[in-house]
Every structure is written in structure tokens, then in C-alpha cells.
Amino acid sequence: MSVTQQQVLDALSRVASPRGVPLTNANVLSAISVTDGKVFFSINVDATEARAWESVRAQAEAAVRAIPGVSTAMIALTAERKPGAPQAPPAAHRHSHGVQPASAHRSPQGAASPMSKQAEIPGVAAVIAVASGKGGVGKSTTALNLALGLRDLGLRVGLLDADIYGPSVPRLTGIHEKPQLNDDRKMIPIMRFGLSIMSIGFLVEEDTAMIWRGPMVMSAITQMLRDVAWGTLDILVVDMPPGTGDAQLTLAQNVPLKGAVIISTPQDLSLIDARRGLAMFKKVNVPVLGIVENMSYFQCPECGTRSDIFGHGGARHEAERLGVPFLGEIPLHMSIRTTSDEGNPVVASEPDGPHAAIYRAIGTKVRDRLQGAIAAA
Ligand code: ADP
């Protein structure tokens, strides 16, 4: 039996709000999305009231989860600041909306405190972001192959596809099943290629992912980080949404990142975007582990001849200029694309080939930069 919107509303009408009326009469609910037992909506309140509403958000979520047939309930609490209200902490200055992630720590004022970033994920030694200033530079392909390169170094590795606007990990890995829940109602990541993998694309259809409201992005990603039974991992690689807008900044600020890897192509435009990415992580005090130049040069699949069609080397020079480590160059090669599109990434399908060696070399540099964090855990 499929879950209806009316069932969700009925459940929510039994949750009291701080305004002394049922939640459904408090004029705070966004549109409610119900698809295949997955329920998404947000509770929108003024930032000054946010603390009082956190427990309501949790009660609402519990009420929705208790409806027979509901497999997932993601409820965001979004706190809008009124014009002239006190400013949020520096890193959030540019936001007109402050987002209240489900499980972040709060300061007494109800704004995200620096602690929210420190909230580690139990069992996960280091979370790293793979980011790009814009889409289409091969960020997801690199994130997955880098995760596999790290796996080849003997590390326990997870991959979280947080590219909520266009999750590509289902396609890149060929995973089309939905995650199961364990006894604690946490989602069990899908194991493939020796990686623990989770993607928003396992839960919603690709076109639904495109229409998420901004504030819901953070809540969904926080839940994927914390409501997933990751087990013990040395490194969790997060494939970030492309770009450097508010959603990405909030994510970088709220996810307990030990570092970030920036993917760029050699073209100037992409480097300008990459610079924005660097600035974003600097702003939220996340160390940049380095820059990877993807599609660095063209390698002929027939004869192996190398052509520097994009004027290769731009990312290396830029990294040197900015004092950021340069992690490596990945060629534009047919087999990287075809293996990705077949759901069988090149490091897994051609483990002895030259491309796998490149991703492993990049993985080695990343691991060495994270060594302290992994050893400490
Ligand atoms: P993004 O995550 O930045 O949007 P994707 O990883 O989805 O980018 O890659 C975009 C396209 O480019 C995909 O078709 C992918 O197979 C291809 N691609 C990525 N990196 C390479 C590469 N080094 N060589 C050949 N094709 C690549």
C-alpha cells in the first residue's frame, strides 16, 4: 500500500508546535513530497525560534517514520533570518537562509556553532571532499577512481555521493538497488568494488534530485552522513555538488572534513572556478589536500600518443603559485570514459593498467597528507 500525503498530514497533526497549535496549523510546512514511501519536506521558521523547533523536527520525523510503508523521512529545519536580525558567524555571512542540519550542534543563539563542523562520524577516521568549481570536469569519475585507488592501498574506504543536483554514482558504479535499513533504522551502504557506497541517487529518481530546495540539501546530506551505518572506515570520500555557491559552502562548513581535493581541467575558465573552490575551503578552514588536473592531455587509445590539446600544465602552475600541493594529472582517455559509463570504473576494471596506477599515485599523496588523522583514529 503506498503512503499518501494525507497520511503524512494526519501524523503531523498529532505533533504539537511551540506556537500552541498542531504542527499542521503552525504555517511552517513546505510542500510535502511523497514518492515510493520516501517523504521529504521542510519546516521553515524564524532563526530566533530555531532552537525551540529542533525537537519538533525530530518528533515530526519520528511520526512520519512510524507510518506503515514509509522507508525514508528527511525533514529539514530551515531558519530564515529577518532583515536587520543579528548576523550569523563569519563563514555564513553570505547566506540569507541559515540551515539547521538535523544533527549539528547549536550555539545558545541557535546559529551553527563552530562545533557543528567538529562533529565527527563515529568509526570514520577521515572525511574528505572531492570538489570542483563547475560541473563536467570529471569530479565524480575522479572521486570514485580515487576511492578505489585508496582501497588498493589497503584502506577501508567509503564513497558518499553528495552531488544532490545530479547524482552520478549509481551510473558510474552500476548500482540500482535501494539500501536496506538495519535494526537501528540506519541505511546500510551498498558494498561494491570493496567500497561502502551511498548516493542520494539510490533513494530518489535523478530528475527529483534536481528540484531539491536549497535548504533541504544540507539536511539530506547530513542524514546521509550520519544516518548511514558506515561501519569502520579509514577514509570517507564525499563527492560534493559542483560549484561554490551557498549550498556547497554550507556543506563544507558543516561536514567534518579533514581535507578537500579540487578537480580542475587545464582550461583557464575551469582554473578560475578551481580558485573559487580553494577560496571556499579556505574560508571554512578546511585544508586543501591538493589539485588534480583531469583531462590533462589527450592520449590516443590506438597508439598511446600524447597530445596537449588544452595547453596542459595549467593546474600544476596554478597550484605552485597558490602554494597548494599538486596531486597529479589524469589523461583524457577513451577507456576512462567508457568504463565509467559502463558502471565498471577503470581502477576496478583495468587494475594493472596505466590509469589505475595514476589514481593510486594520487591516492598515495592523499593518504600521506591524511596520515595523522588516520593514525590517530
Ligand atoms: P562531473 O562529476 O564533474 O560532472 P563526471 O565525472 O560525471 O563529471 O564526468 C563527465 C564526463 O566526462 C563523463 O562522461 C566521464 O566519463 C568523462 N570523463 C571524466 N574524466 C575523464 C577522463 N579523464 N577521460 C575521459 N573521460 C572522462
PDB file of all heavy atoms in Angstrom, residues 1 19 22 55 58 89 152 159 162 216 230 264 275 278 302 336 346 355 372 376:
ATOM      1  N   MET A   1       0.852  -1.199   0.000  1.00  0.00           N
ATOM      2  CA  MET A   1       0.000   0.000   0.000  1.00  0.00           C
ATOM      3  C   MET A   1       0.886   1.247   0.000  1.00  0.00           C
ATOM      4  O   MET A   1       1.804   1.348   0.802  1.00  0.00           O
ATOM      5  CB  MET A   1      -0.877  -0.021   1.248  1.00  0.00           C
ATOM      6  CG  MET A   1      -2.035   0.933   1.176  1.00  0.00           C
ATOM      7  SD  MET A   1      -2.906   1.002   2.764  1.00  0.00           S
ATOM      8  CE  MET A   1      -1.724   1.811   3.824  1.00  0.00           C
ATOM      9  N   ARG A  19       4.038  26.932  19.059  1.00  0.00           N
ATOM     10  CA  ARG A  19       3.047  28.014  18.951  1.00  0.00           C
ATOM     11  C   ARG A  19       1.711  27.629  19.576  1.00  0.00           C
ATOM     12  O   ARG A  19       0.717  28.347  19.434  1.00  0.00           O
ATOM     13  CB  ARG A  19       2.855  28.392  17.480  1.00  0.00           C
ATOM     14  CG  ARG A  19       4.140  28.966  16.917  1.00  0.00           C
ATOM     15  CD  ARG A  19       4.032  29.459  15.506  1.00  0.00           C
ATOM     16  NE  ARG A  19       5.367  29.860  15.052  1.00  0.00           N
ATOM     17  CZ  ARG A  19       5.696  30.111  13.811  1.00  0.00           C
ATOM     18  NH1 ARG A  19       4.794  30.019  12.873  1.00  0.00           N
ATOM     19  NH2 ARG A  19       6.924  30.476  13.504  1.00  0.00           N
ATOM     20  N   PRO A  22      -1.349  22.503  16.621  1.00  0.00           N
ATOM     21  CA  PRO A  22      -0.690  21.371  15.957  1.00  0.00           C
ATOM     22  C   PRO A  22       0.253  21.863  14.864  1.00  0.00           C
ATOM     23  O   PRO A  22       0.041  22.937  14.272  1.00  0.00           O
ATOM     24  CB  PRO A  22      -1.869  20.590  15.359  1.00  0.00           C
ATOM     25  CG  PRO A  22      -3.069  21.013  16.136  1.00  0.00           C
ATOM     26  CD  PRO A  22      -2.819  22.420  16.562  1.00  0.00           C
ATOM     27  N   SER A  55      13.357  20.061  18.454  1.00  0.00           N
ATOM     28  CA  SER A  55      12.725  18.830  18.953  1.00  0.00           C
ATOM     29  C   SER A  55      11.443  18.539  18.169  1.00  0.00           C
ATOM     30  O   SER A  55      11.055  17.382  17.992  1.00  0.00           O
ATOM     31  CB  SER A  55      12.434  18.933  20.441  1.00  0.00           C
ATOM     32  OG  SER A  55      11.477  19.941  20.655  1.00  0.00           O
ATOM     33  N   ALA A  58      12.433  16.638  15.153  1.00  0.00           N
ATOM     34  CA  ALA A  58      12.711  15.232  15.475  1.00  0.00           C
ATOM     35  C   ALA A  58      11.400  14.463  15.692  1.00  0.00           C
ATOM     36  O   ALA A  58      11.246  13.331  15.213  1.00  0.00           O
ATOM     37  CB  ALA A  58      13.593  15.156  16.713  1.00  0.00           C
ATOM     38  N   PRO A  89      27.604  33.576  12.243  1.00  0.00           N
ATOM     39  CA  PRO A  89      29.055  33.556  12.305  1.00  0.00           C
ATOM     40  C   PRO A  89      29.669  33.852  10.944  1.00  0.00           C
ATOM     41  O   PRO A  89      29.012  33.655   9.920  1.00  0.00           O
ATOM     42  CB  PRO A  89      29.384  32.115  12.732  1.00  0.00           C
ATOM     43  CG  PRO A  89      28.119  31.538  13.239  1.00  0.00           C
ATOM     44  CD  PRO A  89      27.008  32.315  12.639  1.00  0.00           C
ATOM     45  N   ASP A 152      43.032   0.296  -2.899  1.00  0.00           N
ATOM     46  CA  ASP A 152      44.179  -0.527  -3.306  1.00  0.00           C
ATOM     47  C   ASP A 152      45.371  -0.366  -2.367  1.00  0.00           C
ATOM     48  O   ASP A 152      46.284  -1.178  -2.370  1.00  0.00           O
ATOM     49  CB  ASP A 152      44.613  -0.157  -4.739  1.00  0.00           C
ATOM     50  CG  ASP A 152      43.621  -0.692  -5.767  1.00  0.00           C
ATOM     51  OD1 ASP A 152      42.718  -1.456  -5.369  1.00  0.00           O
ATOM     52  OD2 ASP A 152      43.754  -0.331  -6.950  1.00  0.00           O
ATOM     53  N   LEU A 159      32.322   5.825  -0.050  1.00  0.00           N
ATOM     54  CA  LEU A 159      32.071   6.910  -1.012  1.00  0.00           C
ATOM     55  C   LEU A 159      30.653   7.408  -0.798  1.00  0.00           C
ATOM     56  O   LEU A 159      29.697   6.625  -0.855  1.00  0.00           O
ATOM     57  CB  LEU A 159      32.228   6.375  -2.443  1.00  0.00           C
ATOM     58  CG  LEU A 159      31.904   7.380  -3.554  1.00  0.00           C
ATOM     59  CD1 LEU A 159      32.953   8.494  -3.606  1.00  0.00           C
ATOM     60  CD2 LEU A 159      31.844   6.672  -4.919  1.00  0.00           C
ATOM     61  N   ALA A 162      27.325  13.069  -2.687  1.00  0.00           N
ATOM     62  CA  ALA A 162      26.519  14.172  -2.152  1.00  0.00           C
ATOM     63  C   ALA A 162      26.131  15.149  -3.252  1.00  0.00           C
ATOM     64  O   ALA A 162      25.666  16.253  -2.982  1.00  0.00           O
ATOM     65  CB  ALA A 162      27.300  14.899  -1.053  1.00  0.00           C
ATOM     66  N   MET A 216      17.029  22.140   1.886  1.00  0.00           N
ATOM     67  CA  MET A 216      16.870  20.712   2.130  1.00  0.00           C
ATOM     68  C   MET A 216      18.136  19.941   1.799  1.00  0.00           C
ATOM     69  O   MET A 216      18.347  18.837   2.276  1.00  0.00           O
ATOM     70  CB  MET A 216      15.717  20.153   1.294  1.00  0.00           C
ATOM     71  CG  MET A 216      14.382  20.688   1.742  1.00  0.00           C
ATOM     72  SD  MET A 216      13.062  20.147   0.670  1.00  0.00           S
ATOM     73  CE  MET A 216      12.854  18.474   1.225  1.00  0.00           C
ATOM     74  N   TRP A 230      27.966   3.357   8.407  1.00  0.00           N
ATOM     75  CA  TRP A 230      29.210   3.313   7.632  1.00  0.00           C
ATOM     76  C   TRP A 230      30.166   2.233   8.150  1.00  0.00           C
ATOM     77  O   TRP A 230      31.040   1.775   7.423  1.00  0.00           O
ATOM     78  CB  TRP A 230      29.923   4.672   7.669  1.00  0.00           C
ATOM     79  CG  TRP A 230      29.247   5.733   6.865  1.00  0.00           C
ATOM     80  CD1 TRP A 230      28.588   6.835   7.340  1.00  0.00           C
ATOM     81  CD2 TRP A 230      29.135   5.806   5.443  1.00  0.00           C
ATOM     82  NE1 TRP A 230      28.082   7.569   6.293  1.00  0.00           N
ATOM     83  CE2 TRP A 230      28.407   6.964   5.122  1.00  0.00           C
ATOM     84  CE3 TRP A 230      29.588   4.991   4.399  1.00  0.00           C
ATOM     85  CZ2 TRP A 230      28.110   7.324   3.808  1.00  0.00           C
ATOM     86  CZ3 TRP A 230      29.296   5.355   3.083  1.00  0.00           C
ATOM     87  CH2 TRP A 230      28.567   6.502   2.798  1.00  0.00           C
ATOM     88  N   SER A 264      40.228  19.968 -11.473  1.00  0.00           N
ATOM     89  CA  SER A 264      40.130  21.016 -12.484  1.00  0.00           C
ATOM     90  C   SER A 264      40.563  20.446 -13.821  1.00  0.00           C
ATOM     91  O   SER A 264      41.296  19.469 -13.874  1.00  0.00           O
ATOM     92  CB  SER A 264      41.047  22.179 -12.096  1.00  0.00           C
ATOM     93  OG  SER A 264      40.974  23.186 -13.076  1.00  0.00           O
ATOM     94  N   ARG A 275      39.927  28.092  -8.470  1.00  0.00           N
ATOM     95  CA  ARG A 275      40.392  29.086  -7.490  1.00  0.00           C
ATOM     96  C   ARG A 275      39.267  29.457  -6.528  1.00  0.00           C
ATOM     97  O   ARG A 275      39.478  29.636  -5.349  1.00  0.00           O
ATOM     98  CB  ARG A 275      40.865  30.351  -8.221  1.00  0.00           C
ATOM     99  CG  ARG A 275      42.357  30.579  -8.066  1.00  0.00           C
ATOM    100  CD  ARG A 275      42.814  31.694  -8.948  1.00  0.00           C
ATOM    101  NE  ARG A 275      43.135  31.189 -10.275  1.00  0.00           N
ATOM    102  CZ  ARG A 275      43.156  31.921 -11.384  1.00  0.00           C
ATOM    103  NH1 ARG A 275      42.847  33.193 -11.345  1.00  0.00           N
ATOM    104  NH2 ARG A 275      43.486  31.387 -12.516  1.00  0.00           N
ATOM    105  N   LEU A 278      39.087  26.767  -4.014  1.00  0.00           N
ATOM    106  CA  LEU A 278      40.136  26.906  -2.999  1.00  0.00           C
ATOM    107  C   LEU A 278      39.733  27.940  -1.967  1.00  0.00           C
ATOM    108  O   LEU A 278      39.861  27.731  -0.755  1.00  0.00           O
ATOM    109  CB  LEU A 278      41.447  27.379  -3.648  1.00  0.00           C
ATOM    110  CG  LEU A 278      42.198  26.390  -4.523  1.00  0.00           C
ATOM    111  CD1 LEU A 278      43.378  27.080  -5.181  1.00  0.00           C
ATOM    112  CD2 LEU A 278      42.687  25.231  -3.670  1.00  0.00           C
ATOM    113  N   GLU A 302      44.460   4.382 -29.694  1.00  0.00           N
ATOM    114  CA  GLU A 302      45.066   3.456 -30.667  1.00  0.00           C
ATOM    115  C   GLU A 302      46.574   3.342 -30.454  1.00  0.00           C
ATOM    116  O   GLU A 302      47.111   2.265 -30.296  1.00  0.00           O
ATOM    117  CB  GLU A 302      44.808   3.944 -32.107  1.00  0.00           C
ATOM    118  CG  GLU A 302      43.337   4.166 -32.455  1.00  0.00           C
ATOM    119  CD  GLU A 302      42.537   2.880 -32.430  1.00  0.00           C
ATOM    120  OE1 GLU A 302      43.119   1.826 -32.713  1.00  0.00           O
ATOM    121  OE2 GLU A 302      41.332   2.934 -32.083  1.00  0.00           O
ATOM    122  N   ILE A 336      38.751   5.604 -19.812  1.00  0.00           N
ATOM    123  CA  ILE A 336      38.249   6.177 -18.545  1.00  0.00           C
ATOM    124  C   ILE A 336      36.761   6.480 -18.711  1.00  0.00           C
ATOM    125  O   ILE A 336      35.945   6.208 -17.840  1.00  0.00           O
ATOM    126  CB  ILE A 336      39.049   7.442 -18.139  1.00  0.00           C
ATOM    127  CG1 ILE A 336      40.517   7.076 -17.902  1.00  0.00           C
ATOM    128  CG2 ILE A 336      38.424   8.107 -16.906  1.00  0.00           C
ATOM    129  CD1 ILE A 336      41.404   8.205 -17.458  1.00  0.00           C
ATOM    130  N   VAL A 346      37.590   2.440 -14.097  1.00  0.00           N
ATOM    131  CA  VAL A 346      38.833   1.947 -14.697  1.00  0.00           C
ATOM    132  C   VAL A 346      39.773   1.305 -13.669  1.00  0.00           C
ATOM    133  O   VAL A 346      40.445   0.325 -13.972  1.00  0.00           O
ATOM    134  CB  VAL A 346      39.509   3.089 -15.511  1.00  0.00           C
ATOM    135  CG1 VAL A 346      40.137   4.147 -14.619  1.00  0.00           C
ATOM    136  CG2 VAL A 346      40.505   2.530 -16.502  1.00  0.00           C
ATOM    137  N   HIS A 355      46.125   3.844 -16.065  1.00  0.00           N
ATOM    138  CA  HIS A 355      45.240   4.813 -15.405  1.00  0.00           C
ATOM    139  C   HIS A 355      45.069   4.473 -13.931  1.00  0.00           C
ATOM    140  O   HIS A 355      45.098   5.353 -13.072  1.00  0.00           O
ATOM    141  CB  HIS A 355      43.883   4.867 -16.107  1.00  0.00           C
ATOM    142  CG  HIS A 355      44.018   5.140 -17.573  1.00  0.00           C
ATOM    143  ND1 HIS A 355      44.766   6.187 -18.045  1.00  0.00           N
ATOM    144  CD2 HIS A 355      43.563   4.475 -18.648  1.00  0.00           C
ATOM    145  CE1 HIS A 355      44.745   6.171 -19.359  1.00  0.00           C
ATOM    146  NE2 HIS A 355      44.022   5.134 -19.755  1.00  0.00           N
ATOM    147  N   GLY A 372      48.165  11.514   9.643  1.00  0.00           N
ATOM    148  CA  GLY A 372      47.979  11.847  11.059  1.00  0.00           C
ATOM    149  C   GLY A 372      46.572  11.498  11.514  1.00  0.00           C
ATOM    150  O   GLY A 372      46.376  10.837  12.533  1.00  0.00           O
ATOM    151  N   ALA A 376      45.625   8.581  14.127  1.00  0.00           N
ATOM    152  CA  ALA A 376      45.034   8.984  15.410  1.00  0.00           C
ATOM    153  C   ALA A 376      43.767   8.183  15.691  1.00  0.00           C
ATOM    154  O   ALA A 376      43.469   7.836  16.830  1.00  0.00           O
ATOM    155  CB  ALA A 376      44.710  10.470  15.389  1.00  0.00           C
TER     156      ALA A 376
END
